[in-house]
């Protein structure tokens, strides 16, 4: 036991904590407020409190937890809504008990089926049992290395029940894991496999791979939350961990409500049954945002170890960085650029480093993909959080304010965005690489010509360059724009993406050929391109017919 000597918001100083360790859980005051040791000097500890410290005073006792800040991982996770310390918010009431445990005893049980027999020797990470009613996925109970000396028969058990004894260690349905250290794995895999998001501009031009990292910077109103919600709904990951980090409560409420209503196209059940929501809204304790980021990564690694592909969506890491800045200012740390702590870059690197596609200890293949939103003040992409994030991610989807205000969704700027894995993902498919390169060239040329046309007028440009302007318009309106409200256009399969892109590129190729043959460019510009522009909202079997309709009309100009 120690004694509280100073309280400054979330910063609490405690004396007489002999034997304490860094990042150890500390319970503060009579209400047992959870906190974490972040600095140790002899017997004095600086504790980062994860709850509101009003009422906590010097002289109050502080008890050592004896363990690091940990998350309780078990079959209760899928379909649940939790705070940053993984305490359930479902049925929690309007006000939370600061001392509430991670999981109260609700009397719920799960159906356990053993997968190994007594006497078998197993390696670490081996699935020794399965829970089939813990969501839309089979929840696997993983074991340490050793001999299975006891295992329960098939039946229903609570989350804290021991279902096996392996190497002298009891294996329970749920287990605690520290959130700041990554869960172990056997090896990283170098082969790149794309993560399909259903967003055409992402899947064709700016892909992200399973186990990759992506950042979505953009100012207020540019559509970050909508884009991330669409990816959470439609990406082909097995498990989605959605972290609301300091965002508005109504946005989180919308996410939870929509996930509960949507049908999962992969399983036919509810999408929420393979989703874990960690909600730390703007009116919740600020420092819990900091823990929520690591808790979400730990939950994703837990499902990765079962052989699943997990996606972590953090909205937004700027609010997490602001919480770190607030605590650093209270602890009198030397500030760096714009008041952020000097270790901001290393903290961001440690978070994104937890992504990866790996071979698990049990020999399965699993992955954790991390996608983080960044909310730069005033849309300034040179501010520290955005600039440092760009250093560590493999993919950047920069959102453009002008595109957003022009109702172009998703408002991803093809000029300022990048994907470092795009070349490797298309290395074995020359047609895909050529398609991606051509679309990129046409968009870049159209941007250059648009700036020129604003100075001299589009009518004064040569015919070939006017076709370049037409190419930019057709690609923006017919391919890059995507309606999140359209049943056919909200999600676009890779095969459908290729059909739409090839249809537009074939039309543009014919336009360029006609200009070279001497056909007046004005007559080409006057043609009706709406059939191919609206192909994105048509069934796949109609796309070729719409393309041919436009090509046939162009043939009349010869």
């Amino acid at each position: 036991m120690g004694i509280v000597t100073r309280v400054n918001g979330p910063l609490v100083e405690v004396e007489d904590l002999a034997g304490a360790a860094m990042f150890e859980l500390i319970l503060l005051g009579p209400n047992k407020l959870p906190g974490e040791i972040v600095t140790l000097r002899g017997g004095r500890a600086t504790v980062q409190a994860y709850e509101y410290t009003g009422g906590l005073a010097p002289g109050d006792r502080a008890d050592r937890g004896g363990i690091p800040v940990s998350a309780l991982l078990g079959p209760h996770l899928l379909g649940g809504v939790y705070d940053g310390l993984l305490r359930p918010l479902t049925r929690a009431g309007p006000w939370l008990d600061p001392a509430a445990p991670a999981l109260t005893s609700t009397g719920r049980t799960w159906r356990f089926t053993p997968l190994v027999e007594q006497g078998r020797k197993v390696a670490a990470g081996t699935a020794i049992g399965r829970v089939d009613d813990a969501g839309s996925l089979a929840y696997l109970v993983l074991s340490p290395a050793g001999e299975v000396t006891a295992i329960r028969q098939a039946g229903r058990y609570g989350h804290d029940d021991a279902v096996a004894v392996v190497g002298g260690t009891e294996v329970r349905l749920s287990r605690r894991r520290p959130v700041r250290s990554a869960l172990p794995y056997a090896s990283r895999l170098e082969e790149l496999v794309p993560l399909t998001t259903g967003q055409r501009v992402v899947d064709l031009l700016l892909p992200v791979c399973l186990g990759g990292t992506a950042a979505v910077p953009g100012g207020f109103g540019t559509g970050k939350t909508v884009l991330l919600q669409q990816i959470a709904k439609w990406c082909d990951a097995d498990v989605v961990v959605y972290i609301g980090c300091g965002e508005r409560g109504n946005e989180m409420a919308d996410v939870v409500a929509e996930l509960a209503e949507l049908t999962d196209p992969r399983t036919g059940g509810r999408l929420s049954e393979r989703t874990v929501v960690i909600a730390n809204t703007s009116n919740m304790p600020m420092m819990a945002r900091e823990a929520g980021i690591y808790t979400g990564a730990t939950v994703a690694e837990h499902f990765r170890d079962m052989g699943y592909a997990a996606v972590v969506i953090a909205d937004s890491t700027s609010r997490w960085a602001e919480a770190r800045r607030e605590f650093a200012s209270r602890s009198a740390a030397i500030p760096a650029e714009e008041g952020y702590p000097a270790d901001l870059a290393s903290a961001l690197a440690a978070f994104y480093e937890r992504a990866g596609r790996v071979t698990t200890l049990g020999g399965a293949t699993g992955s954790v993909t991390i996608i983080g939103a960044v909310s730069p003040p005033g849309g300034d992409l040179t501010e520290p959080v955005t600039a440092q994030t760009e250093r560590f991610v493999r993919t950047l989807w920069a959102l453009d304010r002008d595109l957003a205000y022009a109702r172009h969704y998703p408002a991803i700027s093809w000029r300022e965005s990048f994907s470092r894995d795009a070349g490797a993902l298309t290395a074995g498919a020359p047609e895909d690489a050529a398609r991606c390169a051509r679309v990129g060239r046409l968009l870049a040329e159209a941007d250059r010509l648009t700036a020129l046309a604003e100075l001299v007028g589009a009518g004064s440009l040569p015919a070939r360059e006017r076709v370049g302007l037409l190419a930019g318009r057709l690609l923006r309106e017919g391919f890059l724009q995507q309606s999140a409200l359209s049943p056919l256009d909200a999600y676009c399969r890779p095969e459908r993406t290729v059909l739409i892109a090839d249809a537009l590129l074939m039309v543009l190729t014919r336009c360029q050929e006609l200009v070279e043959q001497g056909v007046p460019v004005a007559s080409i510009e006057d043609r009706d391109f709406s059939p191919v522009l609206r192909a994105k909202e048509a069934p796949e079997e109609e796309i070729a017919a719409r393309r041919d309709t436009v090509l046939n009309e162009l043939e009349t100009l010869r």
Side-chain angles (χ1 to χ4, degrees):
M1 185 189 77
I3 302 297
V4 174
T5 58
R6 176 173 174 247
V7 181
N8 182 9
L11 184 148
V12 180
E13 290 189 352
V14 180
E15 295 279 3
D16 301 329
L17 275 181
M22 283 290 291
F23 304 120
E24 184 177 347
L25 174 67
I26 302 295
L27 303 176
L28 302 166
N31 290 328
K32 305 294 184 182
L33 305 180
E36 180 182 28
I37 295 178
V38 293
T39 304
L40 272 176
R41 296 183 180 89
R44 174 183 296 178
T46 300
V47 176
Q48 176 176 285
Y50 289 122
E51 286 288 351
Y52 175 61
T53 55
L56 186 67
D60 287 342
R61 65 181 288 169
D63 296 304
R64 290 179 54 193
I67 59 172
V69 172
S70 304
L72 183 65
L73 309 174
H76 60 280
L77 289 173
L78 291 177
V81 183
Y82 307 89
D83 72 353
L85 300 180
L86 215 61
R87 297 177 296 188
L89 299 180
T90 306
R91 298 184 298 275
W95 301 102
L96 301 178
D97 180 4
L103 183 66
T104 56
S105 179
T106 60
R108 181 179 177 184
T109 59
W110 286 269
R111 187 173 64 251
F112 171 79
T113 303
L115 298 179
V116 297
E117 298 178 351
Q118 185 175 338
R120 176 180 168 183
K121 292 185 178 180
V122 296
T126 300
I128 61 170
R130 184 181 70 243
V131 175
D132 294 316
D133 55 349
S136 59
L137 302 171
Y139 179 89
L140 301 180
V141 181
L142 307 180
S143 76
E147 181 181 349
V148 180
T149 56
I151 189 161
R152 289 280 192 95
Q153 295 180 350
R156 303 194 69 86
Y157 302 98
H159 74 91
D160 201 35
D161 290 338
V163 294
V165 177
V166 181
T169 301
E170 289 188 338
V171 179
R172 304 179 186 276
L173 287 185
S174 299
R175 58 174 180 160
R176 287 193 172 276
R177 298 294 303 196
V179 300
R180 289 191 177 272
S181 56
L183 300 185
Y185 54 85
S187 62
R188 281 185 178 264
L189 297 173
E190 299 297 330
E191 180 187 5
L192 299 184
V193 178
L195 171 72
T196 300
T197 66
Q199 310 301 302
R200 287 188 293 270
V201 61
V202 170
D203 293 340
L204 182 70
L205 297 179
L206 303 163
V208 62
C209 62
L210 287 174
T213 54
V216 190
F220 177 78
T222 53
K224 294 186 301 297
T225 300
V226 176
L227 176 60
L228 292 178
Q229 290 179 11
Q230 286 295 100
I231 292 175
K233 295 172 189 174
W234 300 113
C235 72
D236 61 352
D238 298 310
V239 177
V240 175
V241 182
Y242 193 99
I243 307 172
C245 187
E247 293 302 302
R248 293 181 294 277
N250 60 336
E251 291 184 356
M252 284 306 307
D254 288 343
V255 171
V256 173
E258 289 184 17
L259 290 177
E261 294 174 358
L262 285 174
T263 300
D264 186 353
R266 303 180 64 187
T267 64
R270 294 298 179 187
L271 188 60
S272 59
E273 293 177 354
R274 62 179 178 91
T275 303
V276 180
V277 178
I278 297 176
N280 270 110
T281 56
S282 55
N283 63 334
M284 296 174 75
M286 178 182 61
M287 294 315 301
R289 303 176 194 171
E290 211 254 352
I293 289 289
Y294 300 109
T295 298
T298 303
V299 170
E301 290 169 348
H302 180 57
F303 286 102
R304 174 206 68 190
D305 290 346
M306 300 179 197
Y308 294 126
V311 170
V312 176
I313 296 178
D315 187 11
S316 75
T317 55
S318 292
R319 308 288 177 256
W320 165 78
E322 288 169 4
R324 293 182 61 87
R325 178 170 62 181
E326 171 72 13
F327 190 84
S329 67
R330 291 180 181 272
S331 60
I334 298 176
E337 188 178 0
E338 295 190 18
Y340 286 103
D343 66 344
L344 174 64
S346 59
L348 282 167
F351 170 58
Y352 285 106
E353 187 183 44
R354 295 179 71 164
R357 185 167 173 265
V358 304
T359 299
T360 67
L361 295 178
T365 298
S367 65
V368 173
T369 306
I370 297 181
I371 303 174
V374 187
S375 306
D380 178 17
L381 299 184
T382 63
E383 59 90 34
V385 180
T386 307
Q388 297 294 348
T389 299
E390 288 186 19
R391 295 174 55 195
F392 306 119
V393 296
R394 301 290 300 173
T395 303
L396 185 77
W397 301 324
L399 301 183
D400 185 86
R401 186 184 300 273
D402 293 336
L403 288 175
Y405 288 173
R407 298 184 178 182
H408 179 114
Y409 172 83
I412 297 177
S413 170
W414 46 88
R415 297 180 299 273
E416 299 175 356
S417 303
F418 61 79
S419 173
R420 295 186 172 106
D421 296 324
L425 287 171
T426 58
E431 292 184 0
D432 294 342
R435 183 184 300 108
C436 177
R438 187 181 176 196
V439 171
R441 287 195 304 269
L442 290 174
L443 290 171
E445 179 68 7
D447 288 341
R448 183 187 71 82
L449 294 174
T450 299
L452 184 60
E454 290 175 353
L455 294 175
V456 302
S460 60
L461 294 177
R464 188 174 183 82
E465 294 187 344
R466 287 171 65 176
V467 172
L469 285 175
L470 175 64
R473 179 174 72 85
L474 293 184
L475 288 173
R476 287 194 303 271
E477 297 179 10
F479 183 79
L480 299 180
Q481 280 186 333
Q482 196 165 344
S483 173
L485 303 177
S486 169
L488 281 174
D489 203 32
Y491 170 77
C492 195
R493 299 189 308 118
E495 296 82 2
R496 181 181 174 85
T497 296
V498 169
L499 285 175
I500 296 173
D502 286 347
L504 288 166
L505 292 175
M506 192 174 296
V507 169
L508 291 172
T509 298
R510 189 56 187 149
C511 290
Q512 293 169 347
E513 292 172 350
L514 291 174
V515 166
E516 292 172 356
Q517 294 171 7
V519 175
V521 67
S523 61
I524 296 176
E525 294 171 333
D526 291 340
R527 295 301 94 186
D528 180 16
F529 292 99
S530 61
V532 74
L533 287 176
R534 295 174 184 170
K536 59 186 180 182
E537 296 184 1
E540 290 184 15
E541 57 271 16
E542 294 183 9
I543 293 177
R546 288 172 173 268
R547 175 202 65 201
D548 293 340
T549 298
V550 177
L551 290 175
N552 292 336
E553 187 172 352
L554 289 174
E555 288 301 315
T556 63
L557 300 176
R558 297 182 62 182

